[in-house]
């Protein structure tokens, strides 16, 4: 197969204006403002399709079985994913080693957003999509969420709409295209390809899809449980230039925060550390932690048991694996059963933000995770399940957790409940926050924390998988505040 | 531990002039030009120390043993590395699955070069170091090559000179600091931290060390088997600005090649593809290949046998694992035994280079490897052991191999024999080439090849492990040609 990449010598591709065009989209009402309200549209989609999700015991899941020798849970077709056991050793760490169930999904799927100019403004083709694990079932999703099994079928009659725009050889222009990880506490080495392509062609609008500007999407990102995780991770990869106009309606009152954030998008703004130091800080932390991962039979995971048709920890902590029976009228198959991972309690994901010489900086955490491909990832300042630490003394709780709990309301710039991937997780609704701090949180931090500007976070995003999916979600949310 | 990173707000760190300073060093004779010739210095070091390396059967290696249940080869202390079995599945690929022995070394070590200005010019502190696998034993090495076991000892009496400059908290300024992989055909997920730090302090010169400018090192890179792999990979990470002066003595005759190469270092030069397209091309290839790696007992690797005191393939192809007995007067211990991997035949590593609108581009290959952490790495255009393909028809030989073999001498801009890591490999002497091509090699290439400028390769290097160690070596060599 020969390349169809655009050549800069032959085309007008990449004039360095992609970031400016995304920023313009974030200030534009869109070409279809008379359409019904988007939340109402998702509600209608939900009501019209008669979705129903019921829990069933794992041993009653059609198509799934526990392997007799390992106890691993797998699909009879060999497709989708498996639930296996993982032995983790982590040093340094409060818990030096443990066992846990882990979702193993080796294939790299596609999360793609198709964009197109209407009236000179970029619009994103977004989908009303049901996933059985979402509390409200239907959320705003990218144009395409496809596993490799899905997209290898594309040439034999495509059942995933718009997939052809994302598969080589493609006629569209790639604006963003990187591999990005997903929840490394629950997945082993899972990554998806996050891709944004722009088309100039006519695109027929299929039912359940609509074109939205980034302004419209940003407004939806400020509402609980509307924009799904797959959409958020792709959105987080879009570069933005500093805005030139006035604040958008709904923005926080202007006490200088917005200006500090706008400057934080500027590649020429003075930052606390250079990019060389940022990469060195990641390297230092990767060299500090030693993480050993070994897949073991699910039967051999100490402290975890199969009981009452689910897989759970002996103290019912952390999470369990449960089965669901899904009915949905508009899917390629009218119903299916599958396992889902159900967290025991909601998570808290908080970025602390601080102005440094008038430029907003975010406090990134270098955080190891059980299933991480490369030891650590950049994570929100606070990334934990507070319930897990309820009985521990303050010095054993995650750093900044107590600080965040006591934050004054006017410091909380963003505070929205967002769902994790509803195709794998059941009711994994987490609290996402951006909290502005002052000099009570010093610039000099412990060696696993570092202050970065928004532009530095975006620069890391261009080159690969440096931020975990929760930090990426918060970066997408941060862009709603300017 | 608290950070000691320099802050851009408080210091003069990182004015963006690091690349310019490295380029100046590459044009400077150095503050110590009256010293003896460097090759002679290495020869003296070799002669003075009475080094002796003899092959011994693996089962006679003091300190090493074959585990009875797995047949894996390990050190009794649990340190250093192990030789285990690996089952590899790769799709697409000429050979869809195979077994092989693999070196497992989970610790991240340090390869570090200390730099310091003398007379306003950066000098690198380089070491004459013996490694038992080098054909000529002593080569020019970085300031520090330390395993984690080495450097964790640093606080209990340091036996590795200058290590304190590279360990946090450090007083020196970090110019380069990334994790980089090593031979993924022979190592499983092996990476070292490649780091360059600059000091303003007085540094006492220890025996076996000397300060060299990059000009002096570049001259040595044009001589067979002088600059070792560890030095080359660190050198490859140094950024260079386009040179402003005339060609250095010893440069190739000026037929425009040097100007095209100089423009290729320029961040503002027009390139065939954008960085977004470069990252997308890597992503596309990572999503195309499916690579499954599973450690298995060395006893279970089909086609490989323990025989005559070594581990070899049934046809004596690829490589074998042999034992050596090492005697050396100047080491912390006066002698030791260890296994080494001995390749069956030399490798060929060639970058094809072509001027595109007056800017030199290198043809990078997206190449999967058995032990790669992330499926594929950027590799030289030709990266193979030609001997392996001697009996295959031309269409089954690696792409461009026959083209390279027939290249006219005046097209060969660089052609030097260089050794791979002599601490793990026995006589792994490979041929490194840079060959200029014209429009007989089109700009449009198969989907696993892409033309990049030198500045694009340097940009990838800033952010992580995108190039394999052989491509990095060639990048270091490319800088000797301007």
């Amino acid at each position: 197969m020969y390349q169809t990449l655009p050549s800069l010598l032959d085309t007008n591709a990449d004039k360095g204006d992609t970031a400016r065009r995304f920023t313009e989209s974030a200030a534009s009402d869109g070409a279809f403002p008379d359409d019904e309200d988007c939340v109402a549209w998702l509600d209608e989609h939900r009501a019209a399709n008669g979705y129903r999700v019921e829990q069933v015991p794992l041993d009653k899941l059609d198509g799934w079985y526990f392997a007799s020798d390992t106890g691993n849970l797998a699909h009879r077709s060999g497709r989708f994913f498996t639930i296996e056991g993982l032995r983790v050793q982590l040093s340094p760490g409060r818990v030096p080693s443990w066992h846990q169930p882990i979702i193993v999904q080796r294939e790299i799927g596609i999360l793609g957003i198709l964009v197109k100019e209407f009236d000179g403004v970029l619009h994103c083709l977004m989908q009303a999509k049901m996933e059985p694990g979402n509390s409200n079932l239907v959320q705003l999703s990218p144009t395409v969420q496809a596993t490799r099994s899905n997209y290898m079928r594309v040439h034999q009659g495509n059942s995933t709409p718009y997939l052809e725009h994302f598969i080589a050889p493609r006629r569209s222009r790639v604006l963003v295209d990187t591999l990005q990880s997903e929840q490394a506490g629950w997945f082993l080495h899972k990554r998806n390809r996050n891709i944004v392509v722009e088309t100039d062609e006519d695109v027929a609008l299929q039912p359940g899809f609509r074109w939205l500007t980034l302004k419209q999407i940003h407004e939806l990102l400020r509402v609980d449980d509307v924009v799904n995780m797959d959409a958020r991770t792709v959105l987080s990869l879009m570069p933005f230039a500093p805005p030139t106009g006035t604040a958008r309606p709904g923005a926080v009152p202007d006490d200088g925060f917005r200006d500090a954030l706008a400057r934080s998008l500027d590649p020429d703004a003075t930052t606390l550390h250079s990019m060389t130091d940022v990469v060195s800080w990641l390297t230092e932390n990767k060299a500090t932690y030693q993480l050993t991962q070994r897949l073991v039979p699910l039967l051999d995971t100490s402290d975890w048991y199969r009981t009452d048709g689910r897989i759970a920890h002996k103290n019912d902590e952390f999470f369990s694996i449960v089965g669901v029976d899904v009915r949905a009228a508009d899917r390629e198959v009218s119903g299916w059963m599958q396992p889902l991972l159900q967290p025991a309690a909601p998570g808290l994901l908080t970025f602390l933000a601080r102005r440094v010489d008038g430029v907003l900086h975010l406090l990134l955490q270098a955080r190891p995770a059980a299933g991480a491909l490369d030891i650590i990832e950049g994570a929100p300042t606070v990334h934990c399940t507070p319930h897990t630490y309820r009985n521990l003394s303050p010095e054993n709780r995650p750093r900044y957790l107590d600080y965040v709990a006591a934050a004054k309301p006017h410091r909380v710039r963003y505070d929205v409940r967002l769902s994790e991937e509803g195709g794998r997780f059941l009711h994994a609704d987490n609290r996402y926050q951006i909290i502005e701090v002052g000099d009570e949180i010093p610039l000099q931090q412990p060696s696993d924390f570092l202050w970065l500007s928004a532009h530095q976070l975006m620069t890391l995003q261009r080159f690969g998988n440096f931020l975990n999916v929760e930090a990426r979600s918060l970066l997408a949310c941060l862009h709603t505040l300017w």
Side-chain angles (χ1 to χ4, degrees), chain A:
Chain A
M1 186 192 305
Y2 275 73
Q3 291 158 1
T4 54
L5 283 180
S7 158
L8 294 186
L9 299 176
D10 304 334
T11 75
N12 288 320
D14 204 286
K15 295 280 193 202
D17 64 355
T18 303
R20 182 188 51 74
R21 294 166 72 221
F22 280 128
T23 295
E24 283 171 10
S25 178
S28 302
D29 287 322
F32 314 106
D34 297 334
D35 279 14
E36 59 194 327
D37 170 71
C38 199
V39 172
W41 172 68
L42 294 169
D43 288 342
E44 279 166 31
H45 188 82
R46 183 180 305 112
N49 284 281
Y51 296 121
R52 203 193 62 197
V53 176
E54 287 174 7
Q55 284 201 37
V56 293
L58 289 174
D59 44 17
K60 297 282 190 289
L61 289 184
D62 281 353
W64 295 80
Y65 73 105
F66 288 102
S68 56
D69 51 343
T70 60
N72 293 348
L73 181 58
H75 194 263
R76 293 191 194 283
S77 69
R79 291 175 53 204
F80 307 113
F81 57 91
T82 55
I83 310 284
E84 309 188 25
L86 187 72
R87 173 152 196 265
V88 184
Q89 292 172 284
L90 177 65
S91 161
R94 201 172 54 82
V95 181
S97 84
W98 69 91
H99 282 95
Q100 67 168 77
I102 195 103
I103 307 174
V104 180
Q105 185 173 359
R106 297 188 190 278
E107 296 182 346
I108 292 172
I110 287 180
L111 306 179
I113 294 181
L114 185 67
V115 301
K116 177 174 157 70
E117 279 194 1
F118 295 93
D119 301 342
V121 174
L122 286 177
H123 286 60
C124 303
L125 185 59
M126 304 300 285
Q127 179 183 184
K129 187 173 173 62
M130 191 283 291
E131 294 289 352
N134 291 338
S135 300
N136 56 357
L137 293 177
V138 176
Q139 298 194 2
L140 192 72
S141 307
T143 319
V144 158
Q145 298 177 198
T147 62
R148 185 181 170 92
S149 310
N150 283 149
Y151 74 75
M152 295 307 280
R153 270 187 302 173
V154 67
H155 299 298
Q156 312 148 28
N158 173 16
S159 62
T160 303
Y162 305 112
L163 186 53
E164 66 279 11
H165 291 278
F166 300 94
I167 305 285
R170 61 182 80 77
R171 301 177 304 276
S172 318
R173 181 156 84 94
V174 171
L175 303 184
V176 163
D177 184 11
T178 59
L179 289 189
Q180 298 290 341
S181 65
E182 295 179 13
Q183 287 76 7
W186 299 335
F187 280 118
L188 182 65
H189 302 175
K190 164 81 179 295
R191 290 177 309 164
N192 274 322
R193 183 174 185 177
N194 286 230
I195 180 165
V196 179
V197 299
E198 180 178 5
T199 185
D200 301 324
E201 299 176 3
D202 286 339
V203 178
L205 198 62
Q206 301 214 23
F209 289 82
R210 61 194 301 178
W211 292 103
L212 298 173
T213 63
L214 286 167
K215 181 182 179 188
Q216 292 173 299
I217 294 172
H218 283 175
E219 284 163 8
L220 296 167
L221 263 175
R222 300 180 63 87
V223 184
D224 286 350
D225 284 331
V226 169
V227 180
N228 85 350
M229 185 200 82
D230 307 78
R232 299 195 304 271
T233 174
V234 182
L235 292 168
S236 78
L237 292 157
M238 294 177 180
F240 289 98
T244 50
T246 53
R248 291 171 286 183
V252 291
D254 192 8
D255 54 3
F257 176 84
R258 180 176 181 271
D259 286 345
L261 174 53
R263 276 191 289 271
S264 189
L265 301 177
D266 187 344
D268 297 324
T270 300
T271 53
L272 191 56
H273 305 290
S274 69
M275 279 310 294
T276 298
D277 289 331
V278 169
V279 174
S280 177
W281 170 79
L282 287 166
T283 304
E284 177 90 35
N285 278 281
K286 286 183 185 185
T288 297
Y289 287 100
Q290 292 200 287
L291 174 67
T292 308
Q293 304 157 325
R294 192 158 54 85
L295 279 175
V296 297
L298 190 54
L299 284 174
D300 294 349
T301 50
S302 52
D303 298 338
W304 293 82
Y305 300 95
R306 220 159 91 195
T307 172
D308 298 332
R310 57 191 203 117
I311 298 161
H313 186 260
K314 62 177 181 182
N315 301 333
D316 253 330
E317 291 277 1
F318 310 118
F319 60 83
S320 54
I321 308 291
V322 302
V324 292
D325 179 4
V326 186
R327 306 283 153 178
D330 78 338
R331 295 292 288 233
E332 59 213 68
V333 284
S334 59
W336 73 91
M337 297 189 184
Q338 70 167 90
L340 289 173
L341 183 152
Q342 181 173 31
L348 179 66
L349 296 314
T350 308
F351 257 140
L352 297 187
R354 185 179 156 178
R355 301 178 208 182
V356 183
D357 252 21
V359 177
L360 199 73
H361 283 61
L362 293 306
L363 188 55
L364 191 65
Q365 178 186 178
R367 183 175 186 273
L373 179 65
D374 196 9
I375 312 168
I376 61 124
E377 295 183 309
T381 322
V382 174
H383 177 151
C384 71
T385 302
H387 188 75
T388 305
Y389 303 93
R390 64 199 179 281
N391 297 324
L392 294 181
S393 56
E395 66 273 17
N396 284 316
R397 286 201 286 270
R399 198 179 296 265
Y400 314 112
L401 176 58
D402 294 337
Y403 177 88
V404 162
K408 295 211 168 59
H410 74 281
R411 293 297 195 90
V412 181
R413 301 293 183 165
Y414 183 90
D415 192 354
V416 178
R417 190 180 65 232
L418 299 170
S419 307
E420 308 307 328
E421 163 67 45
R424 296 292 174 272
F425 311 127
L426 182 63
H427 303 168
D429 298 329
N430 288 328
R431 184 174 185 182
Y432 282 85
Q433 297 180 312
I434 298 169
I435 297 180
E436 192 179 10
V437 302
D439 55 14
E440 74 279 10
I441 303 288
L443 295 182
Q444 178 134 322
Q445 286 295 319
S447 58
D448 46 346
F449 290 86
L450 196 76
W451 293 104
L452 277 74
S453 73
H455 185 263
Q456 290 181 317
L457 293 174
M458 291 191 291
T459 301
L460 290 178
Q461 295 275 73
R462 282 191 69 192
F463 289 96
N465 182 202
F466 296 99
L467 304 186
N468 71 7
V469 66
E470 294 86 355
R472 297 198 307 275
S473 270
L474 276 174
L475 180 58
C477 300
L478 180 70
H479 291 306
T480 70
L481 301 179
W482 44 263

